[in-house]
Amino acid sequence: MLGVIGVILTLVLLMYLAYKGASIILLAPILALLAALLSAGLDAHLMATYTEVFMKAFANYAKSYFPIFLLGAIFGKLMDESGAAKAIAHGVAEKFGKERALLAVVISCGVLTYGGVSLFVVAFAVYPIAASLFEQSNIPKKFIPPAIALGSFTFTMTALPGTPQIQNAIPMQYFGTDAYAAPMLGIVSGIIMVSAGIIYLNREIKKSQGKGEGFEKADEELAVTTEESLPPFWSSITPIIVVLVLNYILGRVVYPKIDGSYLEKFGTDLQTVSGTWSLIISLVVAILLTILLNRKRFDSILKNLNKGTLESLPTIINTASVVGYGNVIGSLAAFEIVKNAILGVSSNPLISEAISVNVLAGITGSASGGMSISLEALSEQYLTMASQAGISPEVLHRIASLASGGLDTLPHNGAVVTLLSVCGMTHKESYRYIFVVSVLIPMLTSIIAIVLGNFGVV
């Protein structure tokens, strides 16, 4: 019983201390060893647990996903510094106009994140344009963060097939799938999320305007980049299209025809790695194309490559630390009780998977971290249960991805804190709207997706 208390206690401490600003890199190993000590006492073998369980899991995660984190960060940096990200946002905003300011912001963020640009880059790129559109439409500024969150943290992050975001890449390693897993289920889920979010925000905007609320200018001037200084829209969006198309061609057309028997000597098979390989190659090509199309816009290409590389490190190390913590927890005898409780919630693998991913994403404040902990511990059981129930691994992939985008954006989530800071808003002013579009609606969508998945929609 003390071991179970230790697991729960360390999870709560992880959430609380991370919210208070403590580094996950430092917290994760300390709390993992504390859980081991409470579970096994003097037999915990703390040093062996640290080097042979925590660090081994840390290294394995970095091996599997570092290229995606690295290339995604570099691609985002190049899209940002070249002005391509802003050019896409400007182009979309111009198409929709101030009359559809909310939709323009959501679609701008959606295009960028669906193309692989990081959530943080999107927030910085879109905010000035969103502020300008909202000012022209006299929409209260407090609705900018939820509009960006709807376009960045929801349907393009977890639902739409092919998205190169890490939340869609992680399940590939566990279920032998690719980024386009369960396309119909993903498309339906994406439509539900974006439609419900826009309807909700439009209703709340009208209510606020009915009370006499409008856009409040900040004391400082908005630094909005003029359209003349930006690259052309079509050259800006071309690398994003390349990521999506090339990823599909490689994953669904090229690799299935290749003889991967040579991989046996590497201890793996083509189905396990082809999804990751497709994504890596697609991002590399997109990076080269971005450099080629915008080479005259960079002060120093090498400088931007270095910046993107450095910016990828904290993200991968933080997430790998959370995974190391999860593996230590999973190795404890006490975790068998926790695991059986999770699996005992439902005999349906989709329901059990959604609950475990959601809860752990909420506790860690990380969609990728929560999903990784859950799948590392339980993916084999879910595959077995799904096989017995006649459910495709592709559905397991899509439900895991969708579930990771629910409770992850609680108030302590780093992306939420950053978004509010960029927009100059507080939790009190904007978080309740963010909660509905990035927590409540995605969770309800996951429920619908589970029902459809059980009826064979793939």
Side-chain angles (χ1 to χ4, degrees):
M1 184 50 121
L2 183 59
V4 175
I5 293 172
V7 171
I8 296 171
L9 174 64
T10 56
L11 283 170
V12 172
L13 284 173
L14 186 66
M15 177 173 65
Y16 175 75
L17 294 174
Y19 179 64
K20 288 294 185 180
S23 170
I24 291 291
I25 300 171
L26 183 62
L27 275 180
I30 292 173
L31 293 177
L33 296 180
L34 174 61
L37 185 62
L38 291 173
S39 179
L42 296 177
D43 294 327
H45 305 298
L46 294 184
M47 290 309 300
T49 299
Y50 176 64
T51 61
E52 304 307 309
V53 181
F54 182 93
M55 286 309 302
K56 187 176 287 187
F58 180 105
N60 285 337
Y61 185 87
K63 175 192 80 70
S64 297
Y65 300 112
F66 178 69
I68 297 173
F69 278 94
L70 172 66
L71 296 171
I74 291 173
F75 182 49
K77 174 56 67 177
L78 294 173
M79 289 289 288
D80 186 23
E81 293 295 326
S82 66
K86 289 187 177 71
I88 292 170
H90 265 292
V92 173
E94 189 177 75
K95 289 286 184 184
F96 286 94
K98 68 177 184 180
E99 298 81 10
R100 298 182 182 86
L102 174 65
L103 186 60
V105 172
V106 172
I107 297 300
S108 296
C109 295
V111 170
L112 290 168
T113 50
Y114 192 41
V117 180
S118 75
L119 311 179
F120 299 99
V121 170
V122 171
F124 282 102
V126 174
Y127 168 67
I129 297 156
S132 177
L133 286 171
F134 276 42
E135 181 181 0
Q136 292 177 57
S137 303
N138 198 33
I139 297 173
K141 191 180 175 184
K142 65 183 178 181
F143 290 106
I144 295 178
I148 294 176
L150 176 58
S152 304
F153 300 171
T154 63
F155 66 106
T156 53
M157 186 179 87
T158 63
L160 294 187
T163 177
Q165 297 295 337
I166 192 67
Q167 292 79 6
N168 188 44
I170 289 172
M172 297 190 302
Q173 293 276 348
Y174 296 97
F175 300 130
T177 50
D178 60 28
Y180 285 86
M184 285 306 300
L185 193 61
I187 290 169
V188 170
S189 298
I191 291 172
I192 293 171
M193 276 193 267
V194 71
S195 301
I198 288 174
I199 290 170
Y200 165 74
L201 288 178
N202 271 324
R203 189 191 69 181
E204 293 300 314
I205 287 169
K206 288 178 181 177
K207 283 169 60 177
S208 293
Q209 289 176 328
K211 296 175 183 176
E213 296 180 18
F215 189 91
E216 294 182 3
K217 289 186 180 180
D219 293 335
E220 72 279 1
E221 291 293 321
L222 289 171
V224 182
T225 308
T226 60
E227 191 173 354
E228 291 74 19
S229 67
L230 296 173
F233 176 81
W234 283 110
S235 68
S236 298
I237 203 170
T238 297
I240 284 177
I241 295 172
V242 165
V243 169
L244 298 172
V245 174
L246 185 57
N247 189 17
Y248 181 86
I249 292 172
L250 289 171
R252 291 286 170 117
V253 180
V254 176
Y255 280 122
K257 295 179 180 179
I258 292 176
D259 179 11
S261 57
Y262 70 93
L263 288 170
E264 291 179 6
K265 64 181 180 181
F266 292 97
T268 187
D269 57 75
L270 191 59
Q271 186 178 10
T272 301
V273 298
S274 61
T276 303
W277 289 2
S278 299
L279 195 48
I280 290 171
I281 293 170
S282 300
L283 286 169
V284 168
V285 173
I287 286 168
L288 294 175
L289 187 58
T290 303
I291 292 172
L292 181 65
L293 292 172
N294 300 281
R295 58 192 180 281
K296 294 180 180 179
R297 294 181 175 274
F298 297 114
D299 293 334
S300 168
I301 294 173
L302 181 60
K303 181 180 176 182
N304 285 293
L305 291 174
N306 288 340
K307 279 185 177 179
T309 300
L310 291 174
E311 288 176 7
S312 73
L313 296 178
T315 308
I316 181 67
I317 293 174
N318 274 324
T319 309
S321 294
V322 171
V323 171
Y325 164 83
N327 271 262
V328 172
I329 298 297
S331 71
L332 304 179
F335 185 70
E336 282 298 314
I337 300 172
V338 177
K339 182 170 73 174
N340 291 334
I342 293 172
L343 294 172
V345 170
S346 173
S347 59
N348 186 292
L350 302 183
I351 296 174
S352 179
E353 180 185 49
I355 291 172
S356 65
V357 171
N358 235 316
V359 170
L360 289 167
I363 290 170
T364 60
S366 166
S368 56
M371 187 199 307
S372 296
I373 292 174
S374 173
L375 296 187
E376 189 69 33
L378 300 168
S379 60
E380 290 185 11
Q381 285 92 331
Y382 290 144
L383 275 170
T384 301
M385 293 165 68
S387 177
Q388 293 171 350
I391 295 171
S392 167
E394 290 200 12
V395 178
L396 283 173
H397 173 131
R398 188 56 53 207
I399 295 300
S401 185
L402 286 168
S404 75
L407 292 176
D408 65 311
T409 42
L410 291 176
H412 62 293
N413 175 266
V416 170
V417 174
T418 300
L419 175 59
L420 290 170
S421 176
V422 169
C423 297
M425 293 285 104
T426 65
H427 279 78
K428 183 178 180 181
E429 292 168 318
S430 294
Y431 183 72
R432 64 183 182 276
Y433 307 114
I434 294 175
F435 177 83
V436 173
V437 300
S438 69
V439 177
L440 186 58
I441 290 174
M443 288 180 70
L444 293 174
T445 301
S446 293
I447 294 172
I448 296 171
I450 289 169
V451 173
L452 294 175
N454 278 303
F455 277 103
V457 176
V458 179

Coordinates of all heavy atoms in Angstrom, one line a residue, residues 115-195:
G115 N 1.6 21.8 -40.8 CA 2.8 21.7 -41.6 C 4.0 21.4 -40.8 O 5.1 21.2 -41.4
G116 N 3.9 21.3 -39.5 CA 5.1 21.0 -38.7 C 5.7 22.1 -37.9 O 6.7 21.9 -37.2
V117 N 5.2 23.3 -38.1 CA 5.8 24.4 -37.3 C 5.4 24.3 -35.8 O 4.2 24.0 -35.5 CB 5.3 25.8 -37.9 CG1 5.9 27.0 -37.1 CG2 5.6 25.9 -39.4
S118 N 6.3 24.5 -34.9 CA 6.1 24.3 -33.5 C 5.0 25.3 -33.0 O 4.9 26.4 -33.5 CB 7.4 24.5 -32.7 OG 7.7 25.8 -32.6
L119 N 4.4 24.9 -31.9 CA 3.3 25.7 -31.3 C 3.8 27.0 -30.8 O 3.1 28.0 -30.9 CB 2.7 24.9 -30.1 CG 2.3 23.4 -30.4 CD1 1.8 22.8 -29.1 CD2 1.3 23.3 -31.5
F120 N 5.0 27.0 -30.3 CA 5.6 28.3 -29.8 C 5.9 29.3 -30.9 O 5.6 30.5 -30.8 CB 6.8 28.0 -29.0 CG 6.6 27.1 -27.8 CD1 6.9 25.7 -27.9 CD2 6.1 27.6 -26.6 CE1 6.6 24.9 -26.8 CE2 5.8 26.8 -25.6 CZ 6.1 25.4 -25.6
V121 N 6.4 28.8 -32.0 CA 6.6 29.7 -33.2 C 5.3 30.3 -33.7 O 5.2 31.4 -34.0 CB 7.4 28.9 -34.3 CG1 7.4 29.8 -35.6 CG2 8.8 28.6 -33.9
V122 N 4.3 29.4 -33.7 CA 3.0 29.8 -34.2 C 2.4 31.0 -33.4 O 1.9 32.0 -33.9 CB 2.0 28.7 -34.3 CG1 0.6 29.1 -34.6 CG2 2.4 27.6 -35.3
A123 N 2.5 30.8 -32.1 CA 2.0 31.9 -31.2 C 2.7 33.2 -31.5 O 2.0 34.3 -31.6 CB 2.2 31.5 -29.7
F124 N 4.0 33.2 -31.6 CA 4.7 34.5 -31.9 C 4.4 35.0 -33.2 O 4.3 36.3 -33.4 CB 6.2 34.3 -31.7 CG 6.7 34.2 -30.3 CD1 7.0 33.0 -29.7 CD2 6.8 35.4 -29.5 CE1 7.4 33.0 -28.4 CE2 7.3 35.3 -28.2 CZ 7.6 34.1 -27.6
A125 N 4.2 34.2 -34.2 CA 4.0 34.6 -35.6 C 2.6 35.1 -35.8 O 2.4 36.1 -36.5 CB 4.3 33.4 -36.6
V126 N 1.6 34.5 -35.2 CA 0.2 34.9 -35.4 C -0.3 36.0 -34.6 O -1.2 36.7 -35.0 CB -0.7 33.6 -35.3 CG1 -2.2 33.9 -35.4 CG2 -0.3 32.6 -36.4
Y127 N 0.2 36.1 -33.3 CA -0.3 37.1 -32.4 C -0.5 38.5 -33.0 O -1.6 39.1 -32.9 CB 0.5 37.1 -31.1 CG 0.1 38.3 -30.3 CD1 -1.2 38.4 -29.7 CD2 0.9 39.4 -30.1 CE1 -1.6 39.5 -29.0 CE2 0.5 40.5 -29.4 CZ -0.7 40.6 -28.8 OH -1.2 41.7 -28.1
P128 N 0.6 39.1 -33.6 CA 0.4 40.5 -34.1 C -0.7 40.6 -35.1 O -1.5 41.6 -35.2 CB 1.8 40.8 -34.7 CG 2.7 39.8 -34.1 CD 1.9 38.6 -33.8
I129 N -0.8 39.6 -36.0 CA -1.9 39.6 -37.0 C -3.3 39.4 -36.4 O -4.2 40.1 -36.7 CB -1.6 38.5 -38.0 CG1 -0.3 38.7 -38.8 CG2 -2.8 38.3 -39.0 CD1 0.4 37.5 -39.3
A130 N -3.3 38.5 -35.4 CA -4.6 38.3 -34.7 C -5.0 39.6 -34.0 O -6.2 40.0 -34.0 CB -4.5 37.2 -33.6
A131 N -4.1 40.3 -33.3 CA -4.4 41.5 -32.6 C -4.9 42.6 -33.6 O -5.9 43.3 -33.3 CB -3.1 42.0 -31.9
S132 N -4.3 42.7 -34.8 CA -4.8 43.6 -35.8 C -6.2 43.3 -36.2 O -7.0 44.2 -36.3 CB -3.8 43.6 -36.9 OG -4.2 44.5 -37.9
L133 N -6.4 42.1 -36.5 CA -7.8 41.7 -37.0 C -8.8 41.9 -35.9 O -9.9 42.3 -36.2 CB -7.8 40.2 -37.4 CG -7.1 39.8 -38.7 CD1 -7.0 38.3 -38.9 CD2 -7.8 40.4 -39.9
F134 N -8.5 41.5 -34.7 CA -9.5 41.6 -33.6 C -9.7 43.1 -33.3 O -10.8 43.5 -32.9 CB -8.9 40.9 -32.3 CG -9.2 39.4 -32.3 CD1 -9.1 38.7 -33.5 CD2 -9.6 38.8 -31.2 CE1 -9.4 37.3 -33.5 CE2 -9.9 37.4 -31.1 CZ -9.8 36.7 -32.3
E135 N -8.7 43.9 -33.4 CA -8.9 45.4 -33.2 C -9.9 45.9 -34.2 O -10.8 46.7 -33.9 CB -7.6 46.1 -33.2 CG -7.7 47.6 -33.0 CD -6.4 48.3 -33.1 OE1 -5.4 47.7 -33.3 OE2 -6.4 49.6 -32.9
Q136 N -9.7 45.5 -35.5 CA -10.5 46.0 -36.6 C -12.0 45.6 -36.4 O -12.9 46.3 -36.7 CB -10.0 45.5 -37.9 CG -8.7 46.1 -38.3 CD -8.2 45.6 -39.7 OE1 -8.9 45.6 -40.7 NE2 -7.0 45.0 -39.6
S137 N -12.1 44.4 -35.8 CA -13.5 43.8 -35.6 C -14.0 44.1 -34.2 O -15.1 43.7 -33.9 CB -13.4 42.3 -35.8 OG -13.0 42.0 -37.1
N138 N -13.2 44.8 -33.4 CA -13.6 45.2 -32.0 C -14.0 44.0 -31.2 O -14.9 44.0 -30.4 CB -14.8 46.2 -32.0 CG -14.9 46.9 -30.7 OD1 -13.9 47.2 -30.0 ND2 -16.1 47.2 -30.3
I139 N -13.2 42.9 -31.3 CA -13.3 41.7 -30.5 C -12.4 41.8 -29.3 O -11.2 42.1 -29.5 CB -13.0 40.4 -31.4 CG1 -13.9 40.3 -32.6 CG2 -13.0 39.2 -30.5 CD1 -13.5 39.2 -33.5
P140 N -12.9 41.6 -28.1 CA -12.1 41.7 -26.9 C -10.8 40.8 -27.1 O -10.8 39.7 -27.6 CB -13.0 41.1 -25.8 CG -14.4 41.4 -26.3 CD -14.3 41.2 -27.8
K141 N -9.7 41.4 -26.6 CA -8.4 40.8 -26.8 C -8.3 39.5 -26.0 O -7.5 38.6 -26.4 CB -7.3 41.8 -26.2 CG -5.9 41.4 -26.6 CD -4.9 42.5 -26.0 CE -3.5 42.1 -26.2 NZ -2.6 43.0 -25.6
K142 N -9.1 39.3 -25.0 CA -9.0 38.1 -24.2 C -9.3 36.8 -25.0 O -9.1 35.7 -24.6 CB -10.0 38.2 -23.0 CG -11.4 38.2 -23.4 CD -12.3 38.4 -22.1 CE -13.8 38.5 -22.5 NZ -14.6 38.7 -21.3
F143 N -9.9 37.0 -26.2 CA -10.2 35.9 -27.1 C -9.1 35.5 -28.0 O -9.2 34.5 -28.8 CB -11.5 36.1 -27.9 CG -12.7 36.2 -27.0 CD1 -13.3 37.4 -26.7 CD2 -13.3 35.0 -26.5 CE1 -14.5 37.4 -25.9 CE2 -14.4 35.0 -25.7 CZ -15.0 36.3 -25.4
I144 N -8.0 36.2 -28.0 CA -6.9 35.9 -28.9 C -6.2 34.6 -28.5 O -6.0 33.6 -29.3 CB -5.8 37.0 -29.0 CG1 -6.5 38.2 -29.7 CG2 -4.6 36.5 -29.8 CD1 -5.5 39.4 -29.8
P145 N -5.9 34.4 -27.2 CA -5.3 33.1 -26.7 C -6.1 31.9 -27.1 O -5.6 30.9 -27.6 CB -5.1 33.3 -25.2 CG -5.0 34.8 -25.1 CD -5.9 35.4 -26.1
P146 N -7.4 31.9 -26.8 CA -8.2 30.7 -27.1 C -8.3 30.4 -28.6 O -8.4 29.3 -29.1 CB -9.6 30.9 -26.5 CG -9.7 32.4 -26.3 CD -8.3 32.8 -26.0
A147 N -8.3 31.5 -29.4 CA -8.3 31.3 -30.9 C -7.1 30.7 -31.4 O -7.1 29.7 -32.2 CB -8.5 32.7 -31.6
I148 N -5.9 31.1 -30.8 CA -4.6 30.5 -31.2 C -4.6 29.1 -30.7 O -4.1 28.2 -31.3 CB -3.5 31.4 -30.7 CG1 -3.4 32.7 -31.4 CG2 -2.1 30.6 -30.9 CD1 -2.4 33.7 -30.9
A149 N -5.1 28.9 -29.5 CA -5.1 27.5 -28.9 C -5.9 26.6 -29.7 O -5.5 25.4 -29.9 CB -5.6 27.6 -27.4
L150 N -7.1 27.0 -30.2 CA -7.9 26.2 -31.0 C -7.2 25.7 -32.3 O -7.3 24.6 -32.7 CB -9.2 26.9 -31.3 CG -10.2 26.2 -32.2 CD1 -10.6 24.8 -31.6 CD2 -11.5 27.0 -32.5
G151 N -6.5 26.7 -32.9 CA -5.8 26.4 -34.1 C -4.5 25.6 -34.0 O -4.1 24.9 -34.9
S152 N -3.9 25.7 -32.8 CA -2.6 25.1 -32.6 C -2.6 23.8 -31.7 O -1.8 22.9 -31.9 CB -1.7 26.1 -31.9 OG -1.6 27.3 -32.7
F153 N -3.4 23.8 -30.6 CA -3.3 22.8 -29.6 C -4.3 21.6 -29.8 O -4.4 20.7 -29.0 CB -3.6 23.3 -28.2 CG -2.7 24.4 -27.8 CD1 -3.0 25.2 -26.6 CD2 -1.6 24.8 -28.5 CE1 -2.1 26.2 -26.2 CE2 -0.7 25.8 -28.1 CZ -1.0 26.5 -26.9
T154 N -5.1 21.6 -30.8 CA -6.2 20.7 -30.9 C -6.2 19.8 -32.2 O -5.4 18.9 -32.3 CB -7.6 21.4 -30.8 OG1 -7.7 22.3 -31.9 CG2 -7.7 22.2 -29.5
F155 N -7.0 20.2 -33.2 CA -7.2 19.3 -34.4 C -6.0 19.0 -35.2 O -5.8 17.9 -35.7 CB -8.4 19.8 -35.2 CG -8.1 21.1 -35.9 CD1 -7.9 21.2 -37.3 CD2 -8.1 22.3 -35.2 CE1 -7.7 22.4 -37.9 CE2 -7.9 23.5 -35.9 CZ -7.7 23.6 -37.2
T156 N -5.1 20.0 -35.3 CA -3.9 19.8 -36.1 C -2.8 19.1 -35.3 O -1.8 18.6 -35.9 CB -3.3 21.1 -36.7 OG1 -3.2 22.1 -35.7 CG2 -4.3 21.7 -37.7
M157 N -2.9 19.1 -34.0 CA -1.9 18.5 -33.2 C -2.1 17.0 -33.0 O -1.2 16.2 -33.0 CB -1.8 19.2 -31.8 CG -0.7 18.7 -30.9 SD -0.7 19.6 -29.3 CE -1.8 18.6 -28.4
T158 N -3.4 16.6 -32.9 CA -3.7 15.2 -32.6 C -4.6 14.5 -33.5 O -4.6 13.3 -33.5 CB -4.4 15.2 -31.2 OG1 -5.6 15.9 -31.2 CG2 -3.5 15.9 -30.1
A159 N -5.4 15.2 -34.3 CA -6.5 14.6 -35.0 C -6.2 14.3 -36.5 O -6.3 13.2 -37.0 CB -7.8 15.4 -34.9
L160 N -5.8 15.4 -37.2 CA -5.7 15.3 -38.7 C -4.6 14.3 -39.1 O -3.5 14.4 -38.6 CB -5.4 16.7 -39.3 CG -6.6 17.7 -39.2 CD1 -6.2 18.9 -40.0 CD2 -7.9 17.1 -39.6
P161 N -4.9 13.4 -39.9 CA -3.9 12.4 -40.4 C -2.8 13.1 -41.1 O -3.0 14.0 -41.9 CB -4.7 11.5 -41.3 CG -5.9 12.3 -41.8 CD -6.2 13.2 -40.6
G162 N -1.5 12.6 -40.8 CA -0.4 13.2 -41.5 C 0.3 14.3 -40.7 O 1.5 14.6 -41.1
T163 N -0.3 14.8 -39.7 CA 0.4 15.9 -39.0 C 1.7 15.5 -38.4 O 1.8 14.4 -37.8 CB -0.5 16.5 -37.8 OG1 0.2 17.5 -37.1 CG2 -0.9 15.4 -36.8
P164 N 2.8 16.3 -38.7 CA 4.1 15.9 -38.2 C 4.4 16.2 -36.7 O 5.5 16.1 -36.3 CB 5.1 16.6 -39.1 CG 4.3 17.8 -39.6 CD 2.9 17.4 -39.6
Q165 N 3.4 16.7 -36.0 CA 3.6 17.1 -34.6 C 3.9 15.8 -33.8 O 3.4 14.7 -34.1 CB 2.3 17.7 -34.0 CG 2.0 19.1 -34.7 CD 3.0 20.2 -34.4 OE1 3.8 20.1 -33.5 NE2 3.0 21.2 -35.3
I166 N 4.7 16.0 -32.8 CA 5.2 14.8 -32.0 C 4.1 14.0 -31.4 O 4.3 12.7 -31.3 CB 6.2 15.3 -30.9 CG1 7.0 14.1 -30.3 CG2 5.5 16.1 -29.8 CD1 8.0 13.4 -31.3
Q167 N 3.0 14.6 -31.1 CA 1.9 13.8 -30.5 C 1.3 12.8 -31.5 O 0.6 11.9 -31.1 CB 0.8 14.8 -30.1 CG 1.1 15.7 -28.9 CD 2.0 16.9 -29.3 OE1 2.3 17.1 -30.5 NE2 2.4 17.7 -28.4
N168 N 1.5 13.0 -32.8 CA 1.1 12.0 -33.8 C 2.2 11.1 -34.2 O 2.0 10.0 -34.8 CB 0.6 12.8 -35.0 CG -0.1 11.8 -36.0 OD1 -0.9 11.0 -35.7 ND2 0.3 12.0 -37.3
A169 N 3.4 11.4 -33.8 CA 4.6 10.5 -34.1 C 4.8 9.5 -33.1 O 5.2 8.3 -33.4 CB 5.8 11.4 -34.3
I170 N 4.6 9.8 -31.8 CA 4.9 8.8 -30.7 C 4.2 7.5 -30.9 O 4.9 6.4 -30.7 CB 4.6 9.5 -29.4 CG1 5.7 10.6 -29.1 CG2 4.6 8.4 -28.2 CD1 5.3 11.4 -27.8
P171 N 2.9 7.4 -31.2 CA 2.3 6.1 -31.2 C 2.8 5.2 -32.3 O 2.6 4.0 -32.3 CB 0.8 6.5 -31.5 CG 0.6 7.8 -31.0 CD 1.9 8.5 -31.3
M172 N 3.5 5.7 -33.3 CA 4.0 4.9 -34.4 C 4.9 3.8 -34.0 O 4.9 2.7 -34.4 CB 4.7 5.8 -35.5 CG 3.8 6.8 -36.1 SD 4.5 7.7 -37.6 CE 6.0 8.4 -36.9
Q173 N 5.8 4.2 -33.0 CA 6.8 3.2 -32.5 C 6.1 2.1 -31.7 O 6.7 1.0 -31.7 CB 7.8 4.0 -31.5 CG 8.6 5.0 -32.2 CD 9.9 4.4 -32.8 OE1 10.2 3.2 -32.6 NE2 10.6 5.1 -33.6
Y174 N 5.0 2.3 -31.1 CA 4.4 1.3 -30.3 C 3.4 0.5 -31.0 O 3.2 -0.7 -30.7 CB 3.6 2.0 -29.1 CG 4.5 2.7 -28.2 CD1 4.7 4.1 -28.3 CD2 5.2 2.1 -27.2 CE1 5.6 4.8 -27.4 CE2 6.1 2.7 -26.3 CZ 6.3 4.1 -26.4 OH 7.1 4.8 -25.6
F175 N 2.8 1.0 -32.1 CA 1.7 0.3 -32.8 C 2.1 -0.1 -34.2 O 1.3 -0.7 -34.9 CB 0.4 1.1 -32.8 CG -0.1 1.4 -31.4 CD1 -0.4 2.7 -31.0 CD2 -0.2 0.4 -30.4 CE1 -0.9 3.0 -29.7 CE2 -0.6 0.7 -29.1 CZ -1.0 2.0 -28.8
G176 N 3.3 0.3 -34.7 CA 3.7 -0.1 -36.0 C 2.9 0.6 -37.1 O 2.7 0.1 -38.2
T177 N 2.5 1.8 -36.8 CA 1.6 2.6 -37.7 C 2.4 3.7 -38.3 O 3.6 3.8 -38.1 CB 0.4 3.2 -37.0 OG1 0.9 3.9 -35.8 CG2 -0.5 2.1 -36.5
D178 N 1.8 4.6 -39.1 CA 2.4 5.8 -39.7 C 1.6 7.0 -39.3 O 0.6 6.9 -38.6 CB 2.6 5.6 -41.2 CG 1.3 5.5 -42.0 OD1 0.3 6.0 -41.5 OD2 1.3 4.9 -43.1
A179 N 2.1 8.2 -39.8 CA 1.4 9.4 -39.4 C 0.0 9.6 -39.9 O -0.8 10.4 -39.5 CB 2.3 10.6 -39.9
Y180 N -0.4 8.7 -40.9 CA -1.7 8.8 -41.5 C -2.7 7.8 -40.9 O -3.7 7.4 -41.6 CB -1.6 8.7 -43.0 CG -1.1 10.0 -43.7 CD1 0.3 10.2 -43.8 CD2 -2.0 10.9 -44.1 CE1 0.8 11.3 -44.4 CE2 -1.5 12.1 -44.7 CZ -0.1 12.3 -44.9 OH 0.4 13.4 -45.4
A181 N -2.4 7.2 -39.8 CA -3.2 6.2 -39.1 C -4.6 6.6 -38.9 O -4.9 7.8 -38.5 CB -2.6 5.8 -37.8
A182 N -5.5 5.7 -39.2 CA -7.0 6.0 -39.0 C -7.4 7.3 -39.6 O -7.9 8.2 -38.9 CB -7.4 5.9 -37.6
P183 N -7.3 7.5 -40.9 CA -7.5 8.9 -41.5 C -9.0 9.4 -41.4 O -9.2 10.5 -41.1 CB -7.1 8.7 -43.0 CG -7.2 7.2 -43.2 CD -6.8 6.6 -41.9
M184 N -9.9 8.5 -41.6 CA -11.3 8.9 -41.5 C -11.7 9.3 -40.0 O -12.3 10.3 -39.8 CB -12.3 7.8 -41.9 CG -12.3 7.6 -43.4 SD -12.7 9.2 -44.3 CE -14.3 9.5 -43.6
L185 N -11.2 8.5 -39.1 CA -11.4 8.8 -37.7 C -10.8 10.2 -37.3 O -11.4 11.0 -36.6 CB -10.8 7.7 -36.8 CG -11.3 7.7 -35.3 CD1 -12.8 7.5 -35.2 CD2 -10.5 6.5 -34.6
G186 N -9.6 10.4 -37.8 CA -8.9 11.7 -37.5 C -9.6 12.8 -38.2 O -9.7 13.9 -37.5
I187 N -10.0 12.7 -39.4 CA -10.7 13.8 -40.1 C -12.0 14.2 -39.4 O -12.3 15.4 -39.2 CB -11.0 13.5 -41.6 CG1 -9.6 13.4 -42.3 CG2 -11.9 14.5 -42.2 CD1 -9.7 12.8 -43.7
V188 N -12.8 13.2 -39.1 CA -14.1 13.4 -38.4 C -13.8 14.1 -37.0 O -14.5 15.1 -36.7 CB -14.9 12.1 -38.2 CG1 -16.1 12.3 -37.2 CG2 -15.3 11.5 -39.5
S189 N -12.9 13.6 -36.3 CA -12.5 14.2 -35.0 C -12.1 15.7 -35.2 O -12.4 16.6 -34.4 CB -11.4 13.4 -34.3 OG -11.9 12.1 -34.0
G190 N -11.2 15.9 -36.2 CA -10.8 17.3 -36.4 C -11.9 18.2 -36.8 O -11.9 19.4 -36.3
I191 N -12.8 17.8 -37.6 CA -14.0 18.6 -38.0 C -14.8 19.0 -36.7 O -15.2 20.1 -36.5 CB -14.8 17.9 -39.0 CG1 -14.1 17.9 -40.4 CG2 -16.2 18.7 -39.2 CD1 -14.8 17.0 -41.4
I192 N -15.0 18.0 -35.9 CA -15.8 18.2 -34.7 C -15.1 19.2 -33.8 O -15.8 20.2 -33.3 CB -16.0 16.9 -33.9 CG1 -16.9 15.9 -34.7 CG2 -16.6 17.2 -32.5 CD1 -17.0 14.5 -34.1
M193 N -13.8 19.1 -33.6 CA -13.1 20.0 -32.7 C -13.1 21.4 -33.2 O -13.4 22.3 -32.4 CB -11.6 19.5 -32.5 CG -11.5 18.4 -31.4 SD -9.8 18.2 -31.0 CE -9.4 16.8 -32.1
V194 N -12.8 21.6 -34.4 CA -12.7 23.0 -35.0 C -14.1 23.6 -35.1 O -14.2 24.8 -34.8 CB -11.9 23.0 -36.3 CG1 -12.7 22.4 -37.4 CG2 -11.5 24.4 -36.7
S195 N -15.1 22.8 -35.5 CA -16.4 23.4 -35.6 C -17.0 23.8 -34.2 O -17.5 24.9 -34.1 CB -17.3 22.4 -36.3 OG -16.9 22.0 -37.6

